[in-house]
């Protein structure tokens, strides 16, 4: 029986690939809705990007726009990584369907409340929508199976030395989510930086002769440019790894540890503070991913991208 999931994202190159991965596996997951948040680009752009990618791949699904800014802070975006459109690289046609008129946060609340089975949330952007849903409708916690999120890092950050982008953009929302008591799997930079797809794989996609495969190859070519400047050999597939963890949880190895979010640091705002040695005396609240089977993951991505006709 496929797991019911809601994907909350800010497409974004790697978000787009995470969406395509989910919709390639209907036997494993049933996507109840895709909700959108501002992050990699403004909300208007991230919504359009989600609609374009899904339309291009022939997928129809409820897409709902959520928050256009963090709960308390000014929005920070990442055009250096994702370009002016938020999805630079391939030329994608206009979408063939529209976003729902319902707000993304209400969409999350309604689906979780009415689902017969517990829902897994898969956030791959700042946690604004999820935090707002939990604050506005705390009753939904009971019907959430788990939150498998891309965000954070036990070791180094990527947007500041201490913090990963998704958590840094809305640390207050992240704090609400991490303190919610809901089971959480944190797929952070510790594993996503090890989950790189290489130039030879991108070539393979570009030469596949498959419409979606070629488009993903073009996305990765653009995404690779920024990562070259950061000294990466390949392209870290952050968001797709969170989705892969929902599909096949053993693709990562996790440790159950206490994690708190820094919201007031002078240099460390947005840090996911992971207590490896139990020095805080806090109860473990997060399954922190610390190792990944990269080869299995990359094969999963290639197979999924080429499964589209
Ligand atoms: C995260 O930040 C975004 O740029 C990516 O889409 C990913 O979700 C990585 O830090
Ligand atoms: Ca993202």
């Amino acid at each position: 029986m496929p797991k019911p999931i809601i994907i909350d994202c800010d497409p974004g190159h790697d978000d787009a690939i995470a969406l395509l991965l989910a919709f390639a596996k209907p036997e494993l997951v049933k996507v109840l809705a895709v909700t959108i948040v501002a992050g990699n680009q403004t909300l208007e752009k991230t919504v359009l990007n989600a609609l374009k990618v899904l339309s291009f791949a022939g997928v129809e699904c409820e897409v709902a726009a959520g928050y256009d800014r963090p709960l308390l802070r000014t929005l920070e975006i990442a055009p250096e990584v994702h370009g002016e459109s938020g999805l630079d690289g391939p030329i994608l046609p206009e979408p063939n369907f529209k976003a729902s008129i319902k707000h993304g946060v209400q969409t999350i609340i309604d689906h979780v409340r009415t689902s017969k089975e517990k829902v897994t949330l898969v956030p791959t952007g700042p946690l604004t929508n999820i935090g707002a849903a939990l604050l506005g409708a705390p009753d939904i916690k009971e019907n959430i199976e788990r939150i498998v999120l891309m965000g954070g890092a036990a070791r180094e950050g990527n947007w500041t030395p201490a913090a990963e982008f998704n958590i840094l953009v809305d640390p207050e929302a992240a704090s609400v989510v991490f303190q919610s008591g809901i089971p959480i799997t944190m797929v952070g930079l510790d594993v996503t930086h090890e989950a790189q797809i290489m130039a030879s794989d991108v070539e393979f996609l570009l030469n596949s002769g498959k419409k979606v495969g070629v488009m993903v190859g073009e996305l990765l070519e653009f995404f690779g440019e920024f990562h070259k400047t950061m000294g990466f050999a390949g392209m870290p597939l952050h968001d797709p790894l969170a989705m892969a963890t929902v599909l096949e949880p053993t693709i990562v190895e996790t440790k159950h540890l206490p994690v708190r979010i820094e919201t007031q640091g002078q240099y460390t705002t947005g840090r996911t503070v992971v207590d490896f040695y139990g020095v805080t005396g806090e109860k473990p609240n997060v399954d922190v991913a610390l190792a990944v089977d990269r080869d299995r993951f990359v094969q999963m991505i290639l197979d999924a991208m080429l499964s589209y006709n």
Side-chain angles (χ1 to χ4, degrees):
M1 184 85 144
K3 250 184 235 175
I5 68 169
I6 296 174
I7 307 170
D8 186 75
C9 58
D10 62 337
H13 293 69
D14 51 336
D15 300 81
I17 300 169
L19 286 172
L20 292 170
L21 176 58
F23 284 104
K25 302 280 181 181
E27 69 284 9
L28 296 179
V29 288
K30 177 173 168 39
V31 184
L32 302 178
V34 174
T35 56
I36 313 291
V37 68
N40 287 326
Q41 260 297 354
T42 60
L43 184 69
E44 199 188 337
K45 292 181 182 179
T46 54
V47 170
L48 181 63
N49 292 340
L51 294 171
K52 279 184 172 178
V53 167
L54 295 176
S55 297
F56 188 81
V59 174
E60 242 197 75
C61 173
E62 182 179 357
V63 172
Y67 267 75
D68 66 355
R69 70 196 70 180
L71 293 184
L72 301 177
R73 294 173 190 255
T74 309
L75 176 64
E76 194 167 333
I77 57 174
E80 304 88 322
V81 189
H82 301 276
E84 274 314 305
S85 69
L87 205 58
D88 279 12
I91 310 288
L92 291 170
E94 287 306 304
N96 57 21
F97 68 105
K98 289 201 169 93
S100 147
I101 51 168
K102 204 193 267 189
H103 194 280
V105 172
Q106 195 60 48
T107 303
I108 295 170
I109 294 169
D110 290 350
H111 275 295
V112 174
R113 276 190 182 146
T114 54
S115 177
K116 290 208 177 74
E117 272 175 79
K118 287 191 171 198
V119 177
T120 297
L121 304 182
V122 194
T124 62
L127 289 162
T128 318
N129 289 340
I130 309 292
L134 295 175
L135 289 171
D139 61 285
I140 65 171
K141 285 182 199 173
E142 280 167 30
N143 211 26
I144 297 174
E145 175 76 23
R146 174 171 287 272
I147 299 176
V148 181
L149 62 92
M150 191 284 134
R155 297 189 286 263
E156 85 276 4
N158 63 354
W159 217 248
T160 72
E164 181 280 328
F165 179 78
N166 290 338
I167 306 295
L168 179 72
V169 171
D170 198 341
E172 285 76 19
S175 186
V176 170
V177 171
F178 277 68
Q179 305 270 20
S180 66
I182 299 165
I184 294 175
T185 304
M186 176 175 119
V187 179
L189 302 176
D190 312 286
V191 278
T192 68
H193 280 175
E194 302 302 318
Q196 293 181 40
I197 193 162
M198 297 299 168
S200 54
D201 302 313
V202 177
E203 268 319 294
F204 173 71
L205 288 169
L206 289 170
N207 294 324
S208 65
K210 297 273 202 144
K211 184 178 136 171
V212 171
V214 172
M215 187 271 283
V216 170
E218 289 170 359
L219 282 175
L220 289 168
E221 270 186 317
F222 184 90
F223 197 52
E225 288 308 310
F226 169 79
H227 289 95
K228 262 185 223 154
T229 67
M230 299 271 285
F232 283 90
M235 295 119 251
L237 291 181
H238 306 287
D239 299 339
L241 185 59
M243 187 58 65
T245 302
V246 175
L247 300 170
E248 292 184 24
T250 59
I251 208 135
V252 294
E253 283 171 33
T254 61
K255 215 167 172 187
H256 196 49
L257 294 166
V259 183
R260 295 289 176 269
I261 307 296
E262 177 58 84
T263 56
Q264 297 175 51
Q266 186 178 359
Y267 304 112
T268 54
T269 298
R271 176 141 194 91
T272 41
V273 181
V274 179
D275 180 7
F276 280 97
Y277 299 106
V279 292
T280 59
E282 302 276 1
K283 255 177 69 188
N285 56 333
V286 177
D287 292 307
V288 180
L290 294 169
V292 54
D293 185 341
R294 190 206 82 98
D295 293 348
R296 184 171 145 205
F297 168 64
V298 171
Q299 196 56 54
M300 185 198 291
I301 295 293
L302 295 177
D303 292 346
M305 297 309 116
L306 295 188
S307 70
Y308 285 90
N309 281 321

